[in-house]
Amino acid sequence: MSWHPQYRSSKFRHVYGKAASKEKCYDCVPITRNVHDNHFCAVNPHFIAVVTECAGGGAFLVIPIHQTGKLDPHYPKICGHKGNVLDIKWNPFNDFVIASCSEDATVKIWDIPKHLLTRNITTPKKELLGHVRRVGLIEWHPTANNILFSSGYDYKIMIWNLDTHEAVISNPVKILDAHKDVVLSMSFNTDGSLLATACRDRKIRLIDPRAGTVIQEASYKSHRVNKVLFLGNVKKLFSTGTSRWNNRQIALWDQNDLSVPLLEEDLDGSSGLLFPFYDSDTHMLYVVGKGDGNIRYYEISPEKPYLNYLMEYRSHLPQKGVGMMPKRGLEVSACEIFRFYKLIPTKSLIEPISMIVPRRSESYQEDIYPLTTGAQPALTAQEWLKGVNKGPLLVSLRPGSGAVNSLPQFLEPEPLRATPDLSQHQGWGGRMPLEDMQKTSEIEDSRKQLKVEEKLPKNEQMCLSNGFDVFECPPPKTENELLQMFYRQQEEIRRLRELVNQRDVQIKQLELELRNLCTDKSSY
């Protein structure tokens, strides 16, 4: 008889939640009073968007992520909808494009300017007209560019191709008509080839979105599903809902057999919805309760018992909705593995909550930061519509390992001037030593970045400091903040001077090596 240890070994067993200080929260934000069961918040490394309360029509706010503190009551809004906004989602491949859906039966795509908003935005980039009743859910495809799914109270899911020049799109590329009631939740698998839905008829459906066929259907009577979520590549589904006795309940399903859940567990008797979030990098599952301040988190394993309870973050402030920061926006130096943005309408407050692995070392912890989904699409819209499947493009979160941010179009590198062909230099003989080639390429890369910044118009230049955009930082409000900003700029100038001096030394070394090589060749 084998002996099993009482405690399971896990590097995430001691993960804890840490709420941000008052200065790093977003205060005086008029959060919506709508009772629709959605997150009402969307976050990316540049902005936080939140559905707001307004008179006449629907609106939402887009606040730069570094602009914490009290919000100006006259801060500009995105207000082009004629009905209440029900859902907002950032484009995963462009941090300056957001989609919204509303009770006015439309879906709108908005371009968010790089500079701070100075007036309300009322004209969308694109408008999608196809639903005949209000649209309650939208989801971007996880790997294909410009593919958007929308679900309405007409019981239809529509697939839109935004890769067109039309400002108004009336014809979706596909309509999924497999539901007999309102769709409450949508979730994609890792490569976006399968769609899981939770419906008000209490059924979970697994759908091939391009063919429009239902592959699996769960009609388990004792679990009334509200939200469903794909658990990465482990071929399992996770759902939240209620039991026959109206207790809040979670369930785990095998993707290939939805007849009976692998696991069922009652949590409590509260009436609020449970929002599930899954981190496929760490295999951690977070369950956020609407109407309470708790965040439960678990670790998923491929073998029984499948779901391993870790801890619970508790707070006396109830959340109405919650946003999630993508992995590329986390603070890896603090061992932060997840970040929530909690909407607290009773205090008009948005409070960031960081999930942290306690580590003493301040160096990069590679074991808790595997390669993660980047900001570049793996497929074009046409490729996906033709049947191609491809997993997401992965990037490293190690500082300096490469750009992981989704940048606006005006930051694309411009063509550089032709560099002199060193192979024609006397004495090279048409070849360059590998060491020198590497050094030259490093210098050219740095020059390339400097030239791109130089060639930008003055009104579109970015001041980047270690990936931090100075223009996104709000102006200093006190003398102390002004001094801190001044010292940071002085430190940045000193660092850049050192960098330029190092480059000059490298260039002189390369010139000397070239001269020595030429001299050696001529002596022969």
Side-chain angles (χ1 to χ4, degrees), residues 12 15-19 39 229 275-288 295-298 322-332 334-341 352-357 368-369 372 397:
F12 303 110
V15 168
Y16 66 96
K18 181 182 178 183
H39 297 156
L229 188 67
F275 295 119
F277 296 89
Y278 182 63
D279 181 2
S280 57
D281 300 337
T282 59
H283 303 293
M284 283 184 66
L285 175 74
Y286 302 87
V287 180
V288 183
I295 300 174
R296 298 172 176 88
Y297 40 103
Y298 304 81
V322 68
M324 179 201 76
M325 172 67 80
K327 279 307 234 351
R328 54 197 172 86
L330 299 181
E331 191 178 345
V332 295
C335 295
E336 183 185 33
I337 57 170
F338 216 80
R339 191 192 302 161
F340 294 102
Y341 286 79
I353 298 171
S354 299
M355 310 308 292
I356 294 171
V357 179
I368 62 173
Y369 294 114
T372 190
L397 295 180

Side-chain angles (χ1 to χ4, degrees), residues 96-131:
F96 299 86
V97 172
I98 191 170
S100 63
C101 64
S102 165
E103 289 181 351
D104 62 10
T106 66
V107 179
K108 297 181 192 289
I109 314 298
W110 307 88
D111 267 341
I112 305 302
K114 183 71 182 69
H115 55 78
L116 293 176
L117 292 179
T118 54
R119 57 186 177 82
N120 290 347
I121 296 179
T122 56
T123 307
K125 176 185 179 183
K126 291 184 186 295
E127 190 171 9
L128 314 181
L129 307 175
H131 291 279

Side-chain angles (χ1 to χ4, degrees), residues 236-269:
K236 288 180 177 61
L237 295 173
F238 179 82
S239 65
T240 65
T242 54
S243 67
R244 288 177 179 175
W245 298 275
N246 282 333
N247 289 327
R248 293 201 293 191
Q249 190 180 62
I250 58 175
L252 194 68
W253 309 78
D254 184 355
Q255 177 183 316
N256 300 316
D257 181 14
L258 298 180
S259 57
V260 179
L262 297 171
L263 181 144
E264 232 180 333
E265 185 181 329
D266 285 11
L267 295 185
D268 53 37

Side-chain angles (χ1 to χ4, degrees), residues 473-486:
C473 185
K477 298 174 184 175
T478 64
E479 186 177 352
N480 189 29
E481 288 181 3
L482 184 64
L483 279 170
Q484 286 179 355
M485 185 170 284
F486 171 73

Side-chain angles (χ1 to χ4, degrees), residues 151-209:
S151 170
Y153 278 64
D154 51 9
Y155 310 158
K156 292 179 173 63
I157 295 176
M158 297 188 180
I159 306 175
W160 305 90
N161 179 8
L162 308 182
D163 207 2
T164 64
H165 297 292
E166 301 170 14
V168 178
I169 304 174
S170 304
N171 298 314
V173 293
K174 185 79 177 176
I175 298 178
L176 307 180
D177 201 2
H179 300 87
K180 298 175 183 176
D181 210 326
V182 178
V183 177
L184 302 175
S185 175
M186 294 189 291
S187 177
F188 289 98
N189 65 343
T190 306
D191 63 4
S193 60
L194 294 174
L195 176 72
T197 63
C199 184
R200 196 173 279 171
D201 63 6
R202 304 181 184 178
K203 292 182 179 179
I204 296 174
R205 290 175 176 86
L206 197 60
I207 299 172
D208 182 341

Side-chain angles (χ1 to χ4, degrees), residues 124-145:
K125 176 185 179 183
K126 291 184 186 295
E127 190 171 9
L128 314 181
L129 307 175
H131 291 279
V132 294
R133 296 185 67 188
R134 58 181 173 172
V135 187
L137 280 175
I138 46 176
E139 286 288 344
W140 292 92
H141 193 276
T143 59
N145 198 21

Side-chain angles (χ1 to χ4, degrees), residues 370-426:
L371 293 179
T372 190
T373 304
Q376 299 301 322
L379 296 167
T380 64
Q382 290 300 326
E383 285 173 338
W384 182 79
L385 291 169
K386 287 175 183 175
V388 180
N389 291 326
K390 197 178 285 187
L393 299 181
L394 303 179
V395 295
S396 171
L397 295 180
R398 181 187 288 275
S401 63
V404 294
N405 284 331
S406 172
L407 297 175
Q409 305 228 340
F410 59 78
L411 287 176
E412 289 177 0
E414 298 183 9
L416 299 173
R417 291 186 302 233
T419 54
D421 188 359
L422 295 178
S423 63
Q424 295 178 2
H425 194 283
Q426 181 186 359

